[in-house]
């Protein structure tokens, strides 16, 4: 048992101390075993759970999930401190310096016309800070662990800032049509499992992100919406099957039927 004083309420210093105790001899075996690598998935899961709490507009849930996410930050900082590489104060120092550097309109008297100019300045400062000389290098800096749709969106936005973009939604939809037809031709000639088909399918999805951008829509959110719509239609189809004493597989030939509706919103 570790030496710890229980309190009515705790603050940030207590949080940091608790993590240190959990990682110390006599602490928690699981916490002691963790590394930066082993915690990667936990960090991502906690971040997504924060997003779910935000979407639910639930303050109590959000407070809990933010605490879980902050715990990940403190854990990584503690591991860094134990290896003599960095600690929580180093993390805070780097973050503060970045905020000060990238907000010259607040800390250095620079005049800006609004939030659009703030973002332009932020990107220019970031390029100089990271010694990036080309837009391609900037694209390479987009985290490869991002969900692919978000990564595609960020890459497209960086390309657009460098002067390369589609002209609008019609251009994006035309590109989707072209990619789809090319994919059909490849599948007919070589099969869906060919490497060329896989590459073209990726291009088709990438073009879909262009359409989402011009629709001013988050591609991740619309795909999640499509997932929810599919589940809802699937649920209705199962209800219809049960109502006549049948199995869903006896009434459906393919999943595409889940996106077909008849008047009144019912599934064909």
């Amino acid at each position: 048992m570790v030496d710890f004083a229980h309190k009515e309420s705790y603050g940030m210093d207590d949080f940091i101390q608790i993590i240190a105790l959990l990682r110390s001899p006599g602490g928690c075996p699981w916490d002691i075993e963790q590394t930066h690598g082993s915690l990667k998935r936990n960090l991502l899961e906690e971040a997504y759970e924060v997003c779910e709490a935000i979407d639910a507009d639930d303050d109590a849930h959000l407070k809990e999930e933010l605490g879980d996410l902050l715990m990940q930050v403190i854990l990584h900082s503690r591991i860094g401190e134990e290896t003599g590489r960095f600690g929580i104060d180093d993390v805070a120092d780097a973050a503060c310096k970045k905020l000060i550097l990238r907000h010259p309109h607040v800390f250095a008297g620079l005049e800006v016309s609004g939030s659009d100019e703030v973002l332009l300045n932020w990107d220019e400062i970031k390029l100089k800070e990271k010694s990036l000389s080309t837009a391609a290098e900037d694209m390479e800096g987009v985290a490869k662990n991002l969900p692919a749709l978000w990564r595609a969106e960020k890459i497209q936005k960086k390309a657009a800032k460098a002067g390369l973009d589609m002209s609008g939604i019609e251009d994006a939809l035309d590109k989707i049509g072209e990619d789809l037809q090319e994919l059909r031709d490849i599948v007919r000639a070589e099969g869906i499992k060919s490497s060329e088909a896989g590459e073209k399918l990726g291009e088709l999805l990438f073009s879909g992100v262009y359409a989402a951008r011009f629709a001013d829509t988050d591609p991740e959110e619309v795909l999640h919406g499509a997932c929810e719509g599919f589940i809802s239609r699937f649920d209705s189809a199962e209800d219809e099957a049960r109502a006549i004493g049948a199995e869903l597989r006896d009434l459906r030939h393919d999943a595409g039927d889940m996106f077909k509706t008849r008047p009144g919103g019912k599934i064909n």
Side-chain angles (χ1 to χ4, degrees):
M1 181 174 177
V2 297
D3 183 18
F4 179 72
H6 295 269
K7 302 180 181 180
E8 277 294 317
S9 62
Y10 302 93
M12 182 62 73
D13 289 341
D14 297 308
F15 204 168
I16 294 170
Q17 182 191 6
I18 288 171
I19 296 298
L21 289 171
L22 290 173
R23 292 275 303 175
S24 300
C28 172
W30 184 89
D31 287 280
I32 292 170
E33 290 173 356
Q34 300 315 303
T35 65
H36 292 307
S38 70
L39 290 169
K40 281 172 58 178
R41 179 165 178 170
N42 300 66
L43 179 61
L44 290 171
E45 288 177 355
E46 299 299 355
Y48 283 121
E49 287 172 10
V50 167
C51 292
E52 284 190 5
I54 292 172
D55 290 341
D57 195 22
D58 185 332
D59 285 347
H61 189 201
L62 179 57
K63 179 178 68 174
E64 176 187 355
E65 297 302 342
L66 284 171
D68 289 344
L69 183 58
L70 181 57
M71 178 174 66
Q72 292 296 313
V73 175
I74 297 173
L75 257 173
H76 280 283
S77 299
R78 179 63 189 179
I79 293 170
E81 185 174 344
E82 291 168 0
T83 58
R85 295 160 66 184
F86 65 89
I88 190 69
D89 286 339
D90 298 304
V91 172
D93 176 62
C96 288
K97 287 176 178 174
K98 179 187 289 186
L99 287 172
I100 293 168
L101 178 65
R102 296 190 187 178
H103 289 81
H105 52 288
V106 176
F107 300 104
L110 180 70
E111 295 291 332
V112 293
S113 59
S115 58
D116 288 343
E117 190 173 353
V118 167
L119 293 177
L120 285 173
N121 289 339
W122 178 285
D123 287 337
E124 289 179 5
I125 294 168
K126 181 179 177 182
L127 288 173
K128 293 177 182 176
E129 179 185 311
K130 296 183 178 294
S131 299
L132 301 176
S133 59
T134 68
E137 288 178 341
D138 194 19
M139 291 179 196
E140 284 287 344
V142 176
K144 293 178 174 59
N145 282 336
L146 275 176
L149 292 175
W150 279 350
R151 185 178 179 220
E153 182 186 51
K154 288 178 73 72
I155 288 171
Q156 289 177 10
K157 286 181 176 180
K158 290 181 182 297
K161 287 178 182 177
L164 181 66
D165 203 1
M166 292 192 181
S167 61
I169 185 64
E170 289 296 330
D171 196 11
L173 293 176
D174 286 345
K175 184 64 168 65
I176 289 173
E178 291 173 11
D179 288 339
L180 182 57
Q181 185 56 55
E182 289 176 16
L183 178 59
R184 289 184 188 277
D185 294 341
I186 293 169
V187 170
R188 288 167 182 153
E190 302 181 21
I192 187 57
K193 294 186 179 181
S194 69
S195 60
E196 192 175 350
E199 290 175 7
K200 182 52 64 176
L201 181 57
E203 291 176 16
L204 175 61
L205 294 172
F206 195 81
S207 297
V209 174
Y210 271 111
R213 280 184 51 232
F214 286 116
D216 198 23
T217 303
D218 184 328
E220 283 286 332
E221 287 189 5
V222 294
L223 184 54
H224 278 302
C227 290
E228 293 303 315
F230 184 88
I231 292 170
S232 177
R233 293 182 179 95
F234 191 94
D235 184 47
S236 296
E238 283 191 317
D239 286 343
E240 288 186 12
R242 281 193 293 267
I244 61 174
E247 291 289 334
L248 182 61
R249 64 176 59 88
D250 298 328
L251 304 179
R252 288 288 177 278
H253 295 294
D254 59 68
D257 290 337
M258 292 298 163
F259 294 100
K260 300 175 183 176
T261 58
R262 60 176 183 255
K266 293 185 178 180
I267 300 172
N268 285 325

mmCIF file with all atom_site columns, all heavy atoms in Angstrom, residues 1-6 18 20-22 24-28:
data_model
loop_
_atom_site.group_PDB
_atom_site.id
_atom_site.type_symbol
_atom_site.label_atom_id
_atom_site.label_alt_id
_atom_site.label_comp_id
_atom_site.label_asym_id
_atom_site.label_entity_id
_atom_site.label_seq_id
_atom_site.pdbx_PDB_ins_code
_atom_site.Cartn_x
_atom_site.Cartn_y
_atom_site.Cartn_z
_atom_site.occupancy
_atom_site.B_iso_or_equiv
_atom_site.pdbx_formal_charge
_atom_site.auth_seq_id
_atom_site.auth_comp_id
_atom_site.auth_asym_id
_atom_site.auth_atom_id
_atom_site.pdbx_PDB_model_num
ATOM 1   N N   . MET A 1 1  ? 0.852  -1.198 0.000   1.00 0.00 ? 1  MET A N   1
ATOM 2   C CA  . MET A 1 1  ? 0.000  0.000  0.000   1.00 0.00 ? 1  MET A CA  1
ATOM 3   C C   . MET A 1 1  ? 0.886  1.245  0.000   1.00 0.00 ? 1  MET A C   1
ATOM 4   O O   . MET A 1 1  ? 1.832  1.347  0.767   1.00 0.00 ? 1  MET A O   1
ATOM 5   C CB  . MET A 1 1  ? -0.912 0.005  1.230   1.00 0.00 ? 1  MET A CB  1
ATOM 6   C CG  . MET A 1 1  ? -1.853 1.194  1.304   1.00 0.00 ? 1  MET A CG  1
ATOM 7   S SD  . MET A 1 1  ? -3.003 1.032  2.686   1.00 0.00 ? 1  MET A SD  1
ATOM 8   C CE  . MET A 1 1  ? -3.873 2.583  2.560   1.00 0.00 ? 1  MET A CE  1
ATOM 9   N N   . VAL A 1 2  ? 0.574  2.194  -0.894  1.00 0.00 ? 2  VAL A N   1
ATOM 10  C CA  . VAL A 1 2  ? 1.379  3.410  -0.999  1.00 0.00 ? 2  VAL A CA  1
ATOM 11  C C   . VAL A 1 2  ? 0.934  4.444  0.026   1.00 0.00 ? 2  VAL A C   1
ATOM 12  O O   . VAL A 1 2  ? -0.181 4.394  0.550   1.00 0.00 ? 2  VAL A O   1
ATOM 13  C CB  . VAL A 1 2  ? 1.269  4.008  -2.421  1.00 0.00 ? 2  VAL A CB  1
ATOM 14  C CG1 . VAL A 1 2  ? 1.830  3.041  -3.444  1.00 0.00 ? 2  VAL A CG1 1
ATOM 15  C CG2 . VAL A 1 2  ? -0.176 4.383  -2.745  1.00 0.00 ? 2  VAL A CG2 1
ATOM 16  N N   . ASP A 1 3  ? 1.819  5.391  0.283   1.00 0.00 ? 3  ASP A N   1
ATOM 17  C CA  . ASP A 1 3  ? 1.520  6.472  1.221   1.00 0.00 ? 3  ASP A CA  1
ATOM 18  C C   . ASP A 1 3  ? 0.785  7.581  0.474   1.00 0.00 ? 3  ASP A C   1
ATOM 19  O O   . ASP A 1 3  ? 1.378  8.282  -0.350  1.00 0.00 ? 3  ASP A O   1
ATOM 20  C CB  . ASP A 1 3  ? 2.831  7.009  1.820   1.00 0.00 ? 3  ASP A CB  1
ATOM 21  C CG  . ASP A 1 3  ? 2.582  8.094  2.853   1.00 0.00 ? 3  ASP A CG  1
ATOM 22  O OD1 . ASP A 1 3  ? 1.433  8.180  3.338   1.00 0.00 ? 3  ASP A OD1 1
ATOM 23  O OD2 . ASP A 1 3  ? 3.518  8.850  3.160   1.00 0.00 ? 3  ASP A OD2 1
ATOM 24  N N   . PHE A 1 4  ? -0.515 7.716  0.757   1.00 0.00 ? 4  PHE A N   1
ATOM 25  C CA  . PHE A 1 4  ? -1.320 8.691  0.028   1.00 0.00 ? 4  PHE A CA  1
ATOM 26  C C   . PHE A 1 4  ? -2.390 9.281  0.940   1.00 0.00 ? 4  PHE A C   1
ATOM 27  O O   . PHE A 1 4  ? -3.073 8.549  1.666   1.00 0.00 ? 4  PHE A O   1
ATOM 28  C CB  . PHE A 1 4  ? -1.988 8.018  -1.179  1.00 0.00 ? 4  PHE A CB  1
ATOM 29  C CG  . PHE A 1 4  ? -2.859 8.947  -1.984  1.00 0.00 ? 4  PHE A CG  1
ATOM 30  C CD1 . PHE A 1 4  ? -2.287 9.941  -2.772  1.00 0.00 ? 4  PHE A CD1 1
ATOM 31  C CD2 . PHE A 1 4  ? -4.240 8.834  -1.934  1.00 0.00 ? 4  PHE A CD2 1
ATOM 32  C CE1 . PHE A 1 4  ? -3.094 10.797 -3.514  1.00 0.00 ? 4  PHE A CE1 1
ATOM 33  C CE2 . PHE A 1 4  ? -5.039 9.680  -2.667  1.00 0.00 ? 4  PHE A CE2 1
ATOM 34  C CZ  . PHE A 1 4  ? -4.462 10.668 -3.463  1.00 0.00 ? 4  PHE A CZ  1
ATOM 35  N N   . ALA A 1 5  ? -2.531 10.600 0.907   1.00 0.00 ? 5  ALA A N   1
ATOM 36  C CA  . ALA A 1 5  ? -3.521 11.287 1.741   1.00 0.00 ? 5  ALA A CA  1
ATOM 37  C C   . ALA A 1 5  ? -4.812 11.483 0.961   1.00 0.00 ? 5  ALA A C   1
ATOM 38  O O   . ALA A 1 5  ? -4.836 12.172 -0.061  1.00 0.00 ? 5  ALA A O   1
ATOM 39  C CB  . ALA A 1 5  ? -2.972 12.640 2.191   1.00 0.00 ? 5  ALA A CB  1
ATOM 40  N N   . HIS A 1 6  ? -5.903 10.865 1.434   1.00 0.00 ? 6  HIS A N   1
ATOM 41  C CA  . HIS A 1 6  ? -7.207 11.011 0.783   1.00 0.00 ? 6  HIS A CA  1
ATOM 42  C C   . HIS A 1 6  ? -7.802 12.382 1.094   1.00 0.00 ? 6  HIS A C   1
ATOM 43  O O   . HIS A 1 6  ? -7.609 12.927 2.183   1.00 0.00 ? 6  HIS A O   1
ATOM 44  C CB  . HIS A 1 6  ? -8.150 9.904  1.250   1.00 0.00 ? 6  HIS A CB  1
ATOM 45  C CG  . HIS A 1 6  ? -7.705 8.527  0.835   1.00 0.00 ? 6  HIS A CG  1
ATOM 46  N ND1 . HIS A 1 6  ? -8.099 7.926  -0.335  1.00 0.00 ? 6  HIS A ND1 1
ATOM 47  C CD2 . HIS A 1 6  ? -6.876 7.650  1.460   1.00 0.00 ? 6  HIS A CD2 1
ATOM 48  C CE1 . HIS A 1 6  ? -7.544 6.730  -0.433  1.00 0.00 ? 6  HIS A CE1 1
ATOM 49  N NE2 . HIS A 1 6  ? -6.794 6.540  0.653   1.00 0.00 ? 6  HIS A NE2 1
ATOM 50  N N   . ILE A 1 18 ? -0.847 10.894 -8.283  1.00 0.00 ? 18 ILE A N   1
ATOM 51  C CA  . ILE A 1 18 ? -1.489 9.583  -8.322  1.00 0.00 ? 18 ILE A CA  1
ATOM 52  C C   . ILE A 1 18 ? -0.897 8.733  -9.445  1.00 0.00 ? 18 ILE A C   1
ATOM 53  O O   . ILE A 1 18 ? -0.595 7.548  -9.252  1.00 0.00 ? 18 ILE A O   1
ATOM 54  C CB  . ILE A 1 18 ? -3.019 9.727  -8.488  1.00 0.00 ? 18 ILE A CB  1
ATOM 55  C CG1 . ILE A 1 18 ? -3.633 10.244 -7.182  1.00 0.00 ? 18 ILE A CG1 1
ATOM 56  C CG2 . ILE A 1 18 ? -3.657 8.392  -8.880  1.00 0.00 ? 18 ILE A CG2 1
ATOM 57  C CD1 . ILE A 1 18 ? -5.095 10.636 -7.308  1.00 0.00 ? 18 ILE A CD1 1
ATOM 58  N N   . ALA A 1 20 ? 2.064  9.022  -10.711 1.00 0.00 ? 20 ALA A N   1
ATOM 59  C CA  . ALA A 1 20 ? 3.429  8.671  -10.290 1.00 0.00 ? 20 ALA A CA  1
ATOM 60  C C   . ALA A 1 20 ? 3.405  7.508  -9.311  1.00 0.00 ? 20 ALA A C   1
ATOM 61  O O   . ALA A 1 20 ? 4.229  6.586  -9.400  1.00 0.00 ? 20 ALA A O   1
ATOM 62  C CB  . ALA A 1 20 ? 4.111  9.887  -9.664  1.00 0.00 ? 20 ALA A CB  1
ATOM 63  N N   . LEU A 1 21 ? 2.452  7.518  -8.380  1.00 0.00 ? 21 LEU A N   1
ATOM 64  C CA  . LEU A 1 21 ? 2.334  6.429  -7.407  1.00 0.00 ? 21 LEU A CA  1
ATOM 65  C C   . LEU A 1 21 ? 1.946  5.114  -8.086  1.00 0.00 ? 21 LEU A C   1
ATOM 66  O O   . LEU A 1 21 ? 2.458  4.048  -7.732  1.00 0.00 ? 21 LEU A O   1
ATOM 67  C CB  . LEU A 1 21 ? 1.305  6.795  -6.331  1.00 0.00 ? 21 LEU A CB  1
ATOM 68  C CG  . LEU A 1 21 ? 1.720  7.892  -5.341  1.00 0.00 ? 21 LEU A CG  1
ATOM 69  C CD1 . LEU A 1 21 ? 0.539  8.298  -4.470  1.00 0.00 ? 21 LEU A CD1 1
ATOM 70  C CD2 . LEU A 1 21 ? 2.883  7.417  -4.471  1.00 0.00 ? 21 LEU A CD2 1
ATOM 71  N N   . LEU A 1 22 ? 1.040  5.197  -9.052  1.00 0.00 ? 22 LEU A N   1
ATOM 72  C CA  . LEU A 1 22 ? 0.624  3.992  -9.767  1.00 0.00 ? 22 LEU A CA  1
ATOM 73  C C   . LEU A 1 22 ? 1.784  3.365  -10.529 1.00 0.00 ? 22 LEU A C   1
ATOM 74  O O   . LEU A 1 22 ? 1.850  2.137  -10.680 1.00 0.00 ? 22 LEU A O   1
ATOM 75  C CB  . LEU A 1 22 ? -0.513 4.330  -10.738 1.00 0.00 ? 22 LEU A CB  1
ATOM 76  C CG  . LEU A 1 22 ? -1.867 4.675  -10.126 1.00 0.00 ? 22 LEU A CG  1
ATOM 77  C CD1 . LEU A 1 22 ? -2.838 5.146  -11.201 1.00 0.00 ? 22 LEU A CD1 1
ATOM 78  C CD2 . LEU A 1 22 ? -2.448 3.484  -9.370  1.00 0.00 ? 22 LEU A CD2 1
ATOM 79  N N   . SER A 1 24 ? 4.951  3.612  -9.572  1.00 0.00 ? 24 SER A N   1
ATOM 80  C CA  . SER A 1 24 ? 6.065  3.376  -8.649  1.00 0.00 ? 24 SER A CA  1
ATOM 81  C C   . SER A 1 24 ? 6.032  1.961  -8.088  1.00 0.00 ? 24 SER A C   1
ATOM 82  O O   . SER A 1 24 ? 4.993  1.291  -8.140  1.00 0.00 ? 24 SER A O   1
ATOM 83  C CB  . SER A 1 24 ? 6.010  4.382  -7.490  1.00 0.00 ? 24 SER A CB  1
ATOM 84  O OG  . SER A 1 24 ? 6.100  5.701  -7.983  1.00 0.00 ? 24 SER A OG  1
ATOM 85  N N   . PRO A 1 25 ? 7.158  1.474  -7.539  1.00 0.00 ? 25 PRO A N   1
ATOM 86  C CA  . PRO A 1 25 ? 7.165  0.174  -6.865  1.00 0.00 ? 25 PRO A CA  1
ATOM 87  C C   . PRO A 1 25 ? 6.073  0.127  -5.800  1.00 0.00 ? 25 PRO A C   1
ATOM 88  O O   . PRO A 1 25 ? 5.910  1.058  -5.022  1.00 0.00 ? 25 PRO A O   1
ATOM 89  C CB  . PRO A 1 25 ? 8.558  0.119  -6.232  1.00 0.00 ? 25 PRO A CB  1
ATOM 90  C CG  . PRO A 1 25 ? 9.392  0.993  -7.115  1.00 0.00 ? 25 PRO A CG  1
ATOM 91  C CD  . PRO A 1 25 ? 8.495  2.115  -7.535  1.00 0.00 ? 25 PRO A CD  1
ATOM 92  N N   . GLY A 1 26 ? 5.292  -0.946 -5.792  1.00 0.00 ? 26 GLY A N   1
ATOM 93  C CA  . GLY A 1 26 ? 4.177  -1.050 -4.877  1.00 0.00 ? 26 GLY A CA  1
ATOM 94  C C   . GLY A 1 26 ? 2.896  -0.481 -5.446  1.00 0.00 ? 26 GLY A C   1
ATOM 95  O O   . GLY A 1 26 ? 1.842  -0.540 -4.809  1.00 0.00 ? 26 GLY A O   1
ATOM 96  N N   . GLY A 1 27 ? 2.978  0.064  -6.646  1.00 0.00 ? 27 GLY A N   1
ATOM 97  C CA  . GLY A 1 27 ? 1.798  0.627  -7.297  1.00 0.00 ? 27 GLY A CA  1
ATOM 98  C C   . GLY A 1 27 ? 1.014  -0.425 -8.051  1.00 0.00 ? 27 GLY A C   1
ATOM 99  O O   . GLY A 1 27 ? 0.911  -1.574 -7.620  1.00 0.00 ? 27 GLY A O   1
ATOM 100 N N   . CYS A 1 28 ? 0.480  -0.050 -9.215  1.00 0.00 ? 28 CYS A N   1
ATOM 101 C CA  . CYS A 1 28 ? -0.367 -0.961 -9.988  1.00 0.00 ? 28 CYS A CA  1
ATOM 102 C C   . CYS A 1 28 ? 0.477  -1.711 -11.021 1.00 0.00 ? 28 CYS A C   1
ATOM 103 O O   . CYS A 1 28 ? 1.139  -1.077 -11.851 1.00 0.00 ? 28 CYS A O   1
ATOM 104 C CB  . CYS A 1 28 ? -1.465 -0.163 -10.688 1.00 0.00 ? 28 CYS A CB  1
ATOM 105 S SG  . CYS A 1 28 ? -2.430 -1.139 -11.859 1.00 0.00 ? 28 CYS A SG  1
#
